[in-house]
Structures are given as structure tokens and as C-alpha cells.
Amino acid sequence: MNKKKNFNHFQKTLILLGIIITLAFNSKGGKTDLNSRKINFNSGWSFHLNDSIKDKDTINSTTTWRTLNLPHDWSIEGKFDEKSPAGYGGGALNGGLGWYKKTFKVATANKTKTTSIIFDGVYRNSEVWINGHYLGKRPNGYIGFQYDLSPYLNYGDKDNEIIVKVDNSKQPNSRWYSGSGIFRNVWLQTTDKLHVEQWGTYITTPKVTVKSASVHLETTIKNQYTASKSATILTTIFKNDIKVTSVTQNISIAANANQVLNQDILVNNPVLWSIEKPELYTAVTIISINNKIVDEYKTTFGIRNFKFDVNKGFILNGKQVKIKGVCMHHDLGPLGSAINTRAIERQLEILKGMGVNGIRTSHNPPAPELLNLCDKMGFIVMDEAFDMWKKAKTKYDYSLNWDKWHAKDLQDQILRDRNHPSIFMWSIGNEIPEQWSDEGVVIAKELSAIVKKLDTTRLVTAAMNPAVNMNIDAVTLQFEKSKTYFNSLATSGALDIIGYNYAHQTFEYHQKNFPNVPFIATETTSALETRGYYEFPSDTIKVWPVRWDLPFTTGNPNNTVSAFDQVRAPWGSTHEATWKVIKKYDFLAGMYIWTGFDYIGEPTPYEWPSISSYFGIVDLAGFPKDVYYMYQSEWTDKTVLHIFPHWNWKVGQNVDVWAYYNNADEVELFLNGKSVGVRSKKEDDLHVMWRIPFQAGTLKAVSRKNGKTVLETEIKTAEAPALLKLTADRNTINADGNDLSFVTVDILDANGVLSPNANNEISFSLKGNGKIVGVCSGDPVSHESYKGTKHTALNGKCLVVIQSGNKAEKLELTASANDLKSSKTVITTK
Ligand code: GAL
């Protein structure tokens, strides 16, 4: 708040200096040179995976090391093992204990500064030493943290050594594949002793109209000098690097103290952040002492207003928006849990293509890069903190750290994430065992209070199963309304929005059950599919396991699951069933489907040889399953006509053909030129179906509106597999040692038709300054390494991921397989 004050001479001088600095700033043509305080500290680390028998959890002069760049996940390099202590839930990949170390120099000029190391996330139980001094331990694997190295550093020519011990040996500690190691980015930060505190800005937009937005900036300034300091704080708001407005203030801050500064700025004609146009602003905070800039801190934010309405659902900038979200775990398929910005961006692009507008970071704080991308690409994020509180879900999980760490971890998550315009809800927990008890209510209130102290602009929820129990029989979907009883958290008053996991049959009664609290389906569906595998008849719904107290077994060869939308977990629904309900009622703000992508671990069927999930709308390699197009037809403006399955069956066999379509009244299907009927969706149908005896040839579908053709599509019977085709998602990538090209391999017959049953083993080789960093077919039962150079295709498709080196050049990728014509593609790195 800008209160009117009487300024003394000294303060006036400082204000003048501030103005001079502002002018100097603007004289750079309205642009700023944003010096980052932190540099990437990922390269040149040494790694040792502990051998518990030989090493006894220690390192010494005989320890052998290999060099690598971070982020790094050592578990993904291991072998799938039926007996792994991580269990199938953990992807049957081992945890263990790993050591990292890095040697570096710090310039003498930095002796007067503060040098810190920032870890965005280390899974888990990290302990850090600098030059033999112990800096601390952080059990939570998903939270960012930092240490001040300055007191222990050597400056000039003398080396510094940082050592990180990562202990993920106690297994199981997760219900899904976690990965192990320093799996997120590491930064070295150098600041003046007077600087903006880490995560030290909080930007809100209390009033937003078309004409103007009031922007409130709360900035925490840290003074590590042993004397008090007077400084000028200039905050400038930029839009696309062009200055919008600025505010200057002078402060005097005591020695070794923090001071919170409040500033208000008016932005005229604000460009609002929305899903369609995620417009971002940047606030640059400059601290100057005696006209000398000592610190520069950049915060990205957005201007938008929103509310969750009990009748109208989610309203963003005055417009009703249905949340069409998906839950995502953090692994990146074949890349494991080592984060890579391009890999996350590709996942989001694929999801956006289906019409997804929301992401739930299940069930932990995500990599900061995910949130940056959601800000830029326009997603409605539910940022989730925990999968358990005090009560364990697996033997060695975070419940063991709960008492000591939960308040700090939650606080740090909110501080880190609260400027992201894409975040609209905080989830304080997923399916928490205490959710039915008074103990749970006490914890929920404590957590909600921690969040509210740091951010009152968003809603607090919890993912409850279910929020209201209406005694539904999971198999028959029958329920007795008379026996309604409520989840303790839902009625605790600690939640601003009621979060439902599953129980879509209860959604329509939400307003009756919770008249004054808005609705969100925190998690839905849990339908199962193997990409490209089909069973008939397609219109019988299968529940796997048949009851949830029975083994999770399919009885199918290779644990395959039909890709018609006909198989679901007992607690879930088909894709269509939940969407039909959410679509119908305005007060249902939206849903987050379990899951957008398949992930490693938690296979359902929960039995060997399955090691990755079947829930994804997109498989582990990034190839859409058919239901992707149901959502695309419902959620996007794109005109869709998708028919499936493939067209290679036994002659005379009855085959069900489904079509997902939109923007048309009807679809006519032709087999080898002969019509087999016209179908149109009735009432709330989301697909149409034909049942026809198979005959090899061409199946063609034509969608029509008012008698006019809208789209045509066809699928053909494939002959014997003959050749490989490579298609890179990007043929030019950055030569930065980090960027990725995702190359799809299709197995085709001699006529160029995809061979839908081809499961050939494909070998890859790469010439040039780059690396093959991942191979994957999306097959949940494959035990081939994702880190190898060969892989067996699943139903005609495989993926290979290429990473650039630091030298700009052309990379040549070759794919070959026995009896098939090989294929090459060139990826240019620049
Ligand atoms: C939910 C849970 C998720 C996942 C899912 C599988 O109950 O929140 O983490 O386990 O079930 O259907």
C-alpha cells in the first residue's frame, strides 16, 4: 500500500536516485537485460551407485565414479525385476543409495557475495556437504530447497567440492514409480548480501477490470550485511519485454534482517491471462544501493480473475469454463523421472491437441518447468502437496517424515508456486487415510491455515474418495441414497471446494449435499486400455479387477486390455460415463481424468509382467489411444472423424467398428465400396458403432452435415510388414546438449499401410554429436530397457528419443529390423 508520508532530505535523495535509475533503465529502448542471478549447475557431476554390501553406505578414496550431467534418475537405468522391493507399484525398478559430487571454483570477486545452491528436487532423503561441512537433509523428494554455501567456500584457484547423498534405499516408499536421484535441475546462485529472498515475491491482482488491474507486490528483501542498509527498490512491470509501468520505494533495512515491502501498481488496459491466450507479465525488482544496482529479481505473473461458483462452476475472466483436465504423474516415460523441459512440453502439446485445459500435479509438487509451461500454454493447474499425511500408504513413505517436515514442505511449495497464473487450486492431499476421522479434520485445518497464510487468492481442496458416500456398489453402479454419509474432510470447513475422486454417480446430487460449496472432480475415470489392442463385443463393460478385493488380473495373454472404451477399474468408470455427467450440469466445474499419459508403475492389472499403467489416454511413448479422439471430438473445435479398430481380422469374424465424430449429423460406413449403414449419435451418445463381418480391403467412413460431406477417412487391411518409416516431431532442435527430438517409428506394409499387429524388434543407431536417450513402445509388459538402442514395437509403433549435443551439426538416425527395409532421418541441431 502506498501510504502518504513526509520524506526527509535523505529519503528525497533516494527517491531522486530511483527516478534516475528508472530513466536509465528505460533508455535501453524500453527493454531490460535480465541478468539471471542463478546459473545452471547441471553439468560435470560424478555419480556412484552404492553397493550396500561392499560400500556400507560410505564413500572413500577407492570409490569409483562416472561422470554425468543432471537431471539424473538412476532407477531408470536398472533392470525390471519381479522381486524388486519397489514392487510393481514402483515399476519393478530398484531404488538404492547414490552419491553425487562436483568440483568447482568460485571467483574471488564473489567473496563479498552470497553463493547458494538450489535443488529443484532430489528423490529422496538428500544430504548435502560442501567442503566437508554438512548443510542439511531434505526427506521430501519433490520439494525445492537451497543452502547458503558462502561461509564454507574457497575462492580463487582453490577447488570446492559439493557432495550429495541420496537415499532411496528403503522400499517401497511410493505407490507409483518415483525415480531416484537428483532428478530435477540444480542452480548456483550468486547475489549481493542485500537481495530479494528466494521465492521472495508475491504478486496478486486484487481488482481486475477491462480498463485496469491493480497489481499488488509483496517483496521480501534480505539483508545479510552486518550493518543496516538503505536502498531503493524499483519494480518495473514488462509485457513482452516492453515496459508497462513501474514503482519505486526507498527502504532502510536493519542488519541481518528481512523486510517485507508492499507496492501497488495500476496496469491500464491489462491483457488478461486465459486458456486460449495465456498472456504473461514480468515484474523485475531492482535493488540499488547508492545508485548501484545490486540485485535483480524476475517474477512472471498473469492478470486474471476467477471464481468457483456453486451454480455456474468455474468462471475465468467472467466466462464460464468447464475444466477438462487430466492427472499426471511426473515421470516422462522412457526418460524416467529426470526432468527435461522439451519432454514436458511435448506431453502438454499432445494433451492440448485433445482439448485438455487442466493439469493436476498428482500427487506432489511438480518440477518448476511444468508450471512455467502451464503458464505459457494455458492450463488450469491443481497443485497438489501430499499423497499421505501421518498414516502410511506404503511401508517407508513420507508419513515417516510427516511430523517434522509437513509444515515446512507445504509452506515452501506455496511460496515457490504462488505467482503462477496457471494455478487455481491447492490440493492438500490425495485419498488421505485420515479423511474419515476427526484426526483428519484437525490436520486438514492446519494445512489449510498454512496455505491461507501465504495465499488467499486460490481455493483449497482435497481429493477425497468419495466426498459423499452414497453406498454405491462399484460393479453394478447401484446406490442407496438413504444411506448417504459424508467424508469428514468434506464437512470440516477446511476446504473451499469439494474434491471428488470417482463416484461420478453422486455428482448430480452435489448441490443438495453441499449447497454452499463449489464442486471439482479431482480425479475420475480410471479406465484401462492397451493401445491398438481390441476385443469383441465392444459394448460389454468389463471391470478389472472384478471386485477390488480380488487379484488384479485380466486373464488375457500379455495382460492386454481392450482399447475400446469398455474396461474400467471398479472404483472408476468408462471415459464416456463420467464425461456425460460432467458435461450435463453447469455446477460441475470440471474434472481431472486419471490419467493423461500412462506412467511407470502402478500397473492395473497389478500382476507381472505388467510394470506400467494402463490408465493413460496417451500411452507411455506418447501415442494416443483411440479414446483420445472421443475427447478431441468433444473438447476442441477441430473437425474429427476417427474410426477404429484396425482392419486386419479373420474373414467372416464379426468386428465392431466405432466412430468418434463431431460437426456432422451422421456417418456412413463403406466396406470395399459398399455401404454398411448410416449412424448418428442419439441423445448423449459419444460414439456410433457398426457390427460387420470382416472382409479384407478398405473401410471408409464419411461424415455429413445437412447431406454435405464434412470429412472422409479410411483404414485398409495391411499386408505383410515390409518397411520402417521414421517421423521426427521436430527435425531441427537446439544444439544445447538438452533439447530432444521424438521420432516415431511406424512399421508399414509395402503399400505404406500401418501393420497393426507388427511387433518387430527395431535397432537404432545415431551418427553425429547427439545421443539416443530413450526407446519405448508404450507396451506395459515390455521389460526391455528404455535406455537401450533397440526395442520391440507394439502394434506397429515405437518411439526413439534423440538428444542434441553441444555442437551444431546434422544427426543421422537409422532404424533397422530383420526382414524390413530400414529407414533414415536427419535431425539438424543448431
Ligand atoms: C486413485 C489414486 C491414484 C491412482 C488411481 C488408480 O484412487 O488417487 O493415485 O492410484 O486411483 O485408479
Side-chain angles (χ1 to χ4, degrees), residues 794-805:
L794 173 71
N795 300 333
K797 283 178 123 43
C798 194
L799 176 82
V800 52
V801 190
I802 305 302
Q803 184 160 55
S804 62

mmCIF file with all atom_site columns, all heavy atoms in Angstrom, residues 794-805:
data_model
loop_
_atom_site.group_PDB
_atom_site.id
_atom_site.type_symbol
_atom_site.label_atom_id
_atom_site.label_alt_id
_atom_site.label_comp_id
_atom_site.label_asym_id
_atom_site.label_entity_id
_atom_site.label_seq_id
_atom_site.pdbx_PDB_ins_code
_atom_site.Cartn_x
_atom_site.Cartn_y
_atom_site.Cartn_z
_atom_site.occupancy
_atom_site.B_iso_or_equiv
_atom_site.pdbx_formal_charge
_atom_site.auth_seq_id
_atom_site.auth_comp_id
_atom_site.auth_asym_id
_atom_site.auth_atom_id
_atom_site.pdbx_PDB_model_num
ATOM 1  N N   . LEU A 1 794 ? 5.193  -52.039 -30.461 1.00 0.00 ? 794 LEU A N   1
ATOM 2  C CA  . LEU A 1 794 ? 3.878  -52.518 -30.028 1.00 0.00 ? 794 LEU A CA  1
ATOM 3  C C   . LEU A 1 794 ? 2.853  -52.123 -31.086 1.00 0.00 ? 794 LEU A C   1
ATOM 4  O O   . LEU A 1 794 ? 2.683  -50.939 -31.383 1.00 0.00 ? 794 LEU A O   1
ATOM 5  C CB  . LEU A 1 794 ? 3.484  -51.907 -28.679 1.00 0.00 ? 794 LEU A CB  1
ATOM 6  C CG  . LEU A 1 794 ? 2.045  -52.228 -28.234 1.00 0.00 ? 794 LEU A CG  1
ATOM 7  C CD1 . LEU A 1 794 ? 1.894  -53.690 -27.838 1.00 0.00 ? 794 LEU A CD1 1
ATOM 8  C CD2 . LEU A 1 794 ? 1.616  -51.323 -27.081 1.00 0.00 ? 794 LEU A CD2 1
ATOM 9  N N   . ASN A 1 795 ? 2.209  -53.123 -31.660 1.00 0.00 ? 795 ASN A N   1
ATOM 10 C CA  . ASN A 1 795 ? 1.132  -52.886 -32.625 1.00 0.00 ? 795 ASN A CA  1
ATOM 11 C C   . ASN A 1 795 ? 1.519  -51.849 -33.681 1.00 0.00 ? 795 ASN A C   1
ATOM 12 O O   . ASN A 1 795 ? 0.817  -50.866 -33.904 1.00 0.00 ? 795 ASN A O   1
ATOM 13 C CB  . ASN A 1 795 ? -0.146 -52.509 -31.895 1.00 0.00 ? 795 ASN A CB  1
ATOM 14 C CG  . ASN A 1 795 ? -0.580 -53.637 -30.955 1.00 0.00 ? 795 ASN A CG  1
ATOM 15 O OD1 . ASN A 1 795 ? -0.266 -54.805 -31.211 1.00 0.00 ? 795 ASN A OD1 1
ATOM 16 N ND2 . ASN A 1 795 ? -1.258 -53.308 -29.873 1.00 0.00 ? 795 ASN A ND2 1
ATOM 17 N N   . GLY A 1 796 ? 2.699  -52.067 -34.258 1.00 0.00 ? 796 GLY A N   1
ATOM 18 C CA  . GLY A 1 796 ? 3.128  -51.267 -35.412 1.00 0.00 ? 796 GLY A CA  1
ATOM 19 C C   . GLY A 1 796 ? 3.890  -50.008 -35.093 1.00 0.00 ? 796 GLY A C   1
ATOM 20 O O   . GLY A 1 796 ? 4.323  -49.312 -36.006 1.00 0.00 ? 796 GLY A O   1
ATOM 21 N N   . LYS A 1 797 ? 4.063  -49.690 -33.799 1.00 0.00 ? 797 LYS A N   1
ATOM 22 C CA  . LYS A 1 797 ? 4.681  -48.391 -33.484 1.00 0.00 ? 797 LYS A CA  1
ATOM 23 C C   . LYS A 1 797 ? 5.754  -48.497 -32.403 1.00 0.00 ? 797 LYS A C   1
ATOM 24 O O   . LYS A 1 797 ? 5.665  -49.328 -31.495 1.00 0.00 ? 797 LYS A O   1
ATOM 25 C CB  . LYS A 1 797 ? 3.610  -47.425 -32.978 1.00 0.00 ? 797 LYS A CB  1
ATOM 26 C CG  . LYS A 1 797 ? 2.737  -46.849 -34.088 1.00 0.00 ? 797 LYS A CG  1
ATOM 27 C CD  . LYS A 1 797 ? 1.682  -45.951 -33.508 1.00 0.00 ? 797 LYS A CD  1
ATOM 28 C CE  . LYS A 1 797 ? 1.680  -44.553 -34.031 1.00 0.00 ? 797 LYS A CE  1
ATOM 29 N NZ  . LYS A 1 797 ? 1.847  -44.352 -35.443 1.00 0.00 ? 797 LYS A NZ  1
ATOM 30 N N   . CYS A 1 798 ? 6.711  -47.592 -32.496 1.00 0.00 ? 798 CYS A N   1
ATOM 31 C CA  . CYS A 1 798 ? 7.755  -47.488 -31.479 1.00 0.00 ? 798 CYS A CA  1
ATOM 32 C C   . CYS A 1 798 ? 8.244  -46.028 -31.468 1.00 0.00 ? 798 CYS A C   1
ATOM 33 O O   . CYS A 1 798 ? 8.004  -45.280 -32.419 1.00 0.00 ? 798 CYS A O   1
ATOM 34 C CB  . CYS A 1 798 ? 8.907  -48.434 -31.845 1.00 0.00 ? 798 CYS A CB  1
ATOM 35 S SG  . CYS A 1 798 ? 10.068 -48.717 -30.510 1.00 0.00 ? 798 CYS A SG  1
ATOM 36 N N   . LEU A 1 799 ? 8.917  -45.661 -30.399 1.00 0.00 ? 799 LEU A N   1
ATOM 37 C CA  . LEU A 1 799 ? 9.428  -44.284 -30.285 1.00 0.00 ? 799 LEU A CA  1
ATOM 38 C C   . LEU A 1 799 ? 10.903 -44.330 -29.943 1.00 0.00 ? 799 LEU A C   1
ATOM 39 O O   . LEU A 1 799 ? 11.340 -45.170 -29.156 1.00 0.00 ? 799 LEU A O   1
ATOM 40 C CB  . LEU A 1 799 ? 8.690  -43.563 -29.148 1.00 0.00 ? 799 LEU A CB  1
ATOM 41 C CG  . LEU A 1 799 ? 9.174  -42.143 -28.850 1.00 0.00 ? 799 LEU A CG  1
ATOM 42 C CD1 . LEU A 1 799 ? 8.533  -41.146 -29.823 1.00 0.00 ? 799 LEU A CD1 1
ATOM 43 C CD2 . LEU A 1 799 ? 8.847  -41.726 -27.414 1.00 0.00 ? 799 LEU A CD2 1
ATOM 44 N N   . VAL A 1 800 ? 11.659 -43.412 -30.562 1.00 0.00 ? 800 VAL A N   1
ATOM 45 C CA  . VAL A 1 800 ? 13.056 -43.239 -30.147 1.00 0.00 ? 800 VAL A CA  1
ATOM 46 C C   . VAL A 1 800 ? 13.281 -41.747 -29.890 1.00 0.00 ? 800 VAL A C   1
ATOM 47 O O   . VAL A 1 800 ? 12.794 -40.905 -30.641 1.00 0.00 ? 800 VAL A O   1
ATOM 48 C CB  . VAL A 1 800 ? 14.038 -43.840 -31.197 1.00 0.00 ? 800 VAL A CB  1
ATOM 49 C CG1 . VAL A 1 800 ? 13.759 -43.312 -32.584 1.00 0.00 ? 800 VAL A CG1 1
ATOM 50 C CG2 . VAL A 1 800 ? 15.488 -43.571 -30.812 1.00 0.00 ? 800 VAL A CG2 1
ATOM 51 N N   . VAL A 1 801 ? 13.972 -41.456 -28.791 1.00 0.00 ? 801 VAL A N   1
ATOM 52 C CA  . VAL A 1 801 ? 14.172 -40.055 -28.398 1.00 0.00 ? 801 VAL A CA  1
ATOM 53 C C   . VAL A 1 801 ? 15.639 -39.698 -28.586 1.00 0.00 ? 801 VAL A C   1
ATOM 54 O O   . VAL A 1 801 ? 16.524 -40.379 -28.056 1.00 0.00 ? 801 VAL A O   1
ATOM 55 C CB  . VAL A 1 801 ? 13.762 -39.826 -26.929 1.00 0.00 ? 801 VAL A CB  1
ATOM 56 C CG1 . VAL A 1 801 ? 13.733 -38.340 -26.609 1.00 0.00 ? 801 VAL A CG1 1
ATOM 57 C CG2 . VAL A 1 801 ? 12.421 -40.474 -26.618 1.00 0.00 ? 801 VAL A CG2 1
ATOM 58 N N   . ILE A 1 802 ? 15.881 -38.640 -29.327 1.00 0.00 ? 802 ILE A N   1
ATOM 59 C CA  . ILE A 1 802 ? 17.250 -38.195 -29.635 1.00 0.00 ? 802 ILE A CA  1
ATOM 60 C C   . ILE A 1 802 ? 17.531 -36.908 -28.886 1.00 0.00 ? 802 ILE A C   1
ATOM 61 O O   . ILE A 1 802 ? 16.709 -35.973 -28.910 1.00 0.00 ? 802 ILE A O   1
ATOM 62 C CB  . ILE A 1 802 ? 17.391 -37.918 -31.161 1.00 0.00 ? 802 ILE A CB  1
ATOM 63 C CG1 . ILE A 1 802 ? 16.970 -39.141 -31.981 1.00 0.00 ? 802 ILE A CG1 1
ATOM 64 C CG2 . ILE A 1 802 ? 18.807 -37.458 -31.511 1.00 0.00 ? 802 ILE A CG2 1
ATOM 65 C CD1 . ILE A 1 802 ? 17.732 -40.390 -31.696 1.00 0.00 ? 802 ILE A CD1 1
ATOM 66 N N   . GLN A 1 803 ? 18.693 -36.841 -28.243 1.00 0.00 ? 803 GLN A N   1
ATOM 67 C CA  . GLN A 1 803 ? 19.085 -35.603 -27.558 1.00 0.00 ? 803 GLN A CA  1
ATOM 68 C C   . GLN A 1 803 ? 20.269 -34.977 -28.275 1.00 0.00 ? 803 GLN A C   1
ATOM 69 O O   . GLN A 1 803 ? 21.202 -35.676 -28.680 1.00 0.00 ? 803 GLN A O   1
ATOM 70 C CB  . GLN A 1 803 ? 19.469 -35.915 -26.110 1.00 0.00 ? 803 GLN A CB  1
ATOM 71 C CG  . GLN A 1 803 ? 19.799 -34.676 -25.303 1.00 0.00 ? 803 GLN A CG  1
ATOM 72 C CD  . GLN A 1 803 ? 19.708 -34.928 -23.813 1.00 0.00 ? 803 GLN A CD  1
ATOM 73 O OE1 . GLN A 1 803 ? 20.350 -35.839 -23.300 1.00 0.00 ? 803 GLN A OE1 1
ATOM 74 N NE2 . GLN A 1 803 ? 18.917 -34.128 -23.118 1.00 0.00 ? 803 GLN A NE2 1
ATOM 75 N N   . SER A 1 804 ? 20.215 -33.662 -28.407 1.00 0.00 ? 804 SER A N   1
ATOM 76 C CA  . SER A 1 804 ? 21.296 -32.951 -29.097 1.00 0.00 ? 804 SER A CA  1
ATOM 77 C C   . SER A 1 804 ? 22.560 -32.950 -28.253 1.00 0.00 ? 804 SER A C   1
ATOM 78 O O   . SER A 1 804 ? 22.513 -33.075 -27.032 1.00 0.00 ? 804 SER A O   1
ATOM 79 C CB  . SER A 1 804 ? 20.869 -31.508 -29.366 1.00 0.00 ? 804 SER A CB  1
ATOM 80 O OG  . SER A 1 804 ? 20.622 -30.848 -28.138 1.00 0.00 ? 804 SER A OG  1
ATOM 81 N N   . GLY A 1 805 ? 23.700 -32.764 -28.926 1.00 0.00 ? 805 GLY A N   1
ATOM 82 C CA  . GLY A 1 805 ? 24.945 -32.462 -28.226 1.00 0.00 ? 805 GLY A CA  1
ATOM 83 C C   . GLY A 1 805 ? 25.129 -30.959 -28.217 1.00 0.00 ? 805 GLY A C   1
ATOM 84 O O   . GLY A 1 805 ? 24.198 -30.201 -28.539 1.00 0.00 ? 805 GLY A O   1
#
